[in-house]
Amino acid sequence: MVRPWFVTLGLMIGLARPAAAADVDDTPCNAEQPEAGAPVRAPLGPSDFGMVPEACPRYELSLRGDMGVLIDEPGFYGSLDLGATLRGRVPLPGNGWISASLPGFAYTFVANATVEADSADLSASTLGLHVPVPVAERLAIAPYVRWMLPTETIFENATRFGFEQGIAFVANLHPIFELTGGYAIPLLLTSTGLGTHSVFMPTVALDAGLRPWRWLEAMAGAAVRVVPGDDDDAFESLDVRAALRFYPHEGLLIDLGGAFPLLGRDRTNAALGLGVGWIAPE
Amino acid sequence: MTRAVVVGAVAAGLLSAGVLAPGCSEVSGCFGGDDGLCVPESPCPALAFTCSDEELFVRVVASASDRPPGLNALAARGDVLIGNSRMLAVIDAPGSPHHLATSGGSLLDLVARNGDETSADDLNQMLQTVGILPADQARYHRLDVIDRSPELVAVIARGTLDGRPDTHIVTRYEVRPCEPGVRVRTELYHGGRDPLTTLLSDAFWWGGREITPFVPLPGQGFVYPDLDLLELGDSIFDVPFMGAQGHSDDTSSYGLVRCDESTAEGFQSTSVSALGKARTVVLPGDAIAYERFVSVGGGPGLSRAANHAYEARGMLFGEPSVVVTGTLVDERSAPVGGDERRAALLFSDAADPGVPRNQAVPDADGSFFVRLPSRRSYRVQVSVLGRALPGETAFAVENERLTLEPIRVPDVGVVAVTVTDPDLSPVIADVVLTPAEAQTAADFRGSLHGQFDEAHCSPFLGPPHGGSPACNRVLVDASGTATFIAPPGVFWIYASRGPFATLDRRMIEIRAGETVSASLVVDDIDELLPSGWLSADFHVHAGASFDSSLPERDRALSFVASGVDVLAATDHDVVTTYAAAIASLGIGDEVVVMPGVETTGQVLFDLREGADFPQVIGHYNFWPLHASSLAPRNGAPDDERLEPGALFDRIAALFDGTGVRQLNHPFAENVFGRDEGYLTALEYDPRQPITATDEVGRQLLRAPGGGRRNIDHDVQEVMNGAATENFAKYRRGWFALLNQGFLRGGTANSDSHTLAVEVLGYPRNLVIGDHDVVGFDREAFNDDVRRGRMIGTNGPIIIACVDTEDGGCADPGLAHVRPAADGLLHIELRAAPWIPVQEIRIIVNGELVRTIVNGVGELLDPFGSQGVLLYADAMPLAELLAGVEGDAWIVIEAGYPLFPAADLIDDDGILDTTDNNGDGRVDTRDHEGLDEDDYYREPPAPDQDDPRYHVAIIAPGTWPTAFTNPFVLDLNGDGEWSAPGL
């Protein structure tokens, strides 16, 4: 059995080489629109951690806002998470790129029956290394590793950090139709110094993107998240996802995304994302 | 595969972020979760109380003598005692939950010690919680003991949140020498998956009629905003400390100071307070802690514990406080004090709005001693007999101890009352004062700094829920005398021995500084009650209940003073016997007490499908029970999260003989989110049949424990207390059950928690049979109770029987009888001359078929003993049963007409609205301008020329009413009884 862990690292190490000799104009990352190979952006974790990233290198600087809503009326519980962060991607000389989300603003409101509290804090930040791998004319994959840095201030006596690895892909099935997705294997560790709370949640995502015009891309897809360590209830969620992306002018991007857990134990009703940024090719 | 991924990811993650994690040396305790070994660090290290006696102990409760004094003390075998020379605390065993808690591990008892003296326990419970639902409470599973004496002793309670097993909670109760309280640190580790809002706090279950909490906030002190659990945020405040003042004999007072922050967050009410760490969002993997010092003082007044709180804040936060002393004297310079009835002093900031800072009750020598924050100006408000005196003493303090000039208060009067029978032999009796002129009543009302203000407590002689004198009432013991202080004024003074005795009254003028004497005569009216009938109250509380401060001795005296022969002792969730009080009073030949319990659902659970909120099953009484002072709850069962049928099964083994199961106040509303009536909890509509085809019917008919069904109680309350609303609701539900063949005896009980607010024996049951207090046959008596051989009454006596086929005349009861073909219903109505009666109602199968007004005798001299027979006649059953097909039941009622009411709020078959606008009609216009809770208004207090005036003085709110249990008539002669249906 080939383990995804070795697949990812092997691909990253073995294929981290100068740009492939293939004609870049034929690659799925070279769409008419400023951006290609970006799955639905609607994070269900801190910052963009755990969200399958883009499969294509770009220069990007965007301001992203996220919202997560959980209303469990029978359980007398509800939560609202709002976040805003600056996110960027920068191609590296030679091959690959790095991604980063900076510590931003995070607001959390939680109602436990009628006991309510909120908190405005500094959010998590991430740093990722992505290596594109053009494996076929219409298919590109990009193994990646990503760290979540412990910049969150909401914790009173603990620190949260994380490591994630996975593979993003994009398949250009038609000039106006792409498939993107991949898998992510995030591990979140929250440590008080006396104990560590871990969340390990492999995720597989697949989104289809339709690009009828240069200024619009509509996406829809699904993701499956599992928690392997929990024998009783390992199925975290089946998320239905959708996004609309607008490119009103050159590289200007307006990105609306949403994920809606339908099955599994995740009680989140919706995770929504809004991004405004500038995308530029390598 | 998983392991490889995890190992790799962990390694990479640690490389990236490990250096930023807090070092192990920075945190200790159970912040990583409870591994069974972790120990929270010692709390409140800045505290440093000193004394010469370094006694320290911790041990498991092994004998009854380990239980602290006080009616609220509940220490039982397996609990842990911890204490020093100044205090003693009990932490209950994990398997012995009490009150609101889902497990033990709570602070159950807390008393002050001073040499050989120990104050009475007034603490029902202090438990840890993070929210308002049971799922948010600590559920402890283990107690560990640390004995590092002479430095410290501690108890470690380990557990999880009740509904969140991944969230660990560990609490350390620590006692050090000389400290007048317990240091407490709670650590909570969130090992779950979703963010959690926590109000990590101690919840204090005061119960409602016991302790009054105090917070030094502007405009508060002993009064607080209304607590609405659905709008909790509006009731939450930051406070520097919380105090709590008890009002029982030998009382204790309590204080709580947070140690790790200068303020704590919480809410207050006389039912429950919570104080803790500010509400915060805790993410999975995080941990929080909360440290506090819970102090205790012995004796009346808040200052005994509040002084400790100020002292502690000085040590913890460098807040200086000073001692202020003084004396209280009367106009002749005699000391005033010793009892909060006589005088209490409330110290507030001089500036407006003044922040109440402390409260003291002077000692018997008039001296008082309070701590107050330094460098401030204050004013002292003195209250005498529950009323704040005009004028205030002002003073300022710097950093030095201050002794105030003597504070002079006006004299009060003294009343010396003697109550005898006509032969001048002293008798036990109730004595009630009321202003001779109704318009002056407001001048004599009182309260406890704004709490427990009852309209009829005029003159205010003492805390209405406490011992005698209470409210406007005084108990006279077997000496026939009582002496008490009272405000100057002109009053009627009444003496009573219950509704089956004569009533007497005198007008007295009480003058300041003088003693006025009054002699009153009361006598049993022998011709009222048939021989062999006993007067019984099956719902009675005293100080052992979490919501009563009434001493057992006074409660026992009230049994005789109210003329009740037999009682079921039904304190909330604890078995009581009153044996010691009855023995010491020598009244064992006058009253019988059957130990019992009122099971009181407190822990919400999913009772029924479709309910908006988790619920409880309400209250049930069970008697007779075995009592055991070493068992948790004195032998009462753990009654939480059980449906009634399962509770019946559980309690069956605890009966001492053949028991009685009583459904209490079936349609009571919920209080503090807890259902008090089972039928209300089910939203039972008495117009709907109970069948297995709907949820309510299924719930009632199912046997959750495999034995008894939820509807299998023996008797149910038809009257509870004085409220006409209760009778209106409960009789309708009872009739509905009778019509459907669920034959349950109807009872009438006082549900008295106090001497003077709900008066014992009003109403009561008259149990028919050949019974006697001397040589009491408990089995036979309870058998008659289960068989419904009773009438319920708050004064009128209905003596009725039905001619039977065998030539006899059958009393009311649930056993069906075959009436004679030309049988008559014989009715005799009697009442003491001071109990007015206006009509008799005859109800067949739930329908009123006849109202008898003519011939119901007029009252003569209300203070005499003549004219007690008000009506005697017989009427053909055939007339009453005209139109009835099949079998039938008959209930007879007597008294005042039913108070007009209608079901206008929610069409649920329950009367909920009265004629509030006085237009002679009950309609939706009666809702205008009122909160829904006020749509049903009880009859107003009667004027002095109203015949109801006297009974309303003796038993406030009483609306003369009596009812028989049903005559169950087998009309078709088939040997069976078929229910008529709805």
Side-chain angles (χ1 to χ4, degrees), chain B residues 711-733:
Chain B
I711 201 171
D712 285 344
H713 52 274
D714 299 309
V715 296
Q716 65 185 77
E717 286 185 334
V718 178
M719 293 175 73
N720 175 284
T724 63
E725 182 178 13
N726 291 346
F727 181 57
K729 291 178 175 179
Y730 305 167
R731 74 191 277 274
R732 184 165 279 207

Side-chain angles (χ1 to χ4, degrees), chain A residues 7 16 41 73 112 127 206 211 227 241-242 249:
Chain A
V7 172
R41 296 180 177 113
E73 206 165 333
N112 179 17
L127 179 65
L206 179 64
R211 300 183 291 207
V227 182
R241 298 141 56 93
H249 178 68

Side-chain angles (χ1 to χ4, degrees), chain B residues 942-949:
Chain B
D943 297 332
Q944 293 204 20
D945 54 357
D946 187 323
R948 196 168 63 89
Y949 178 76

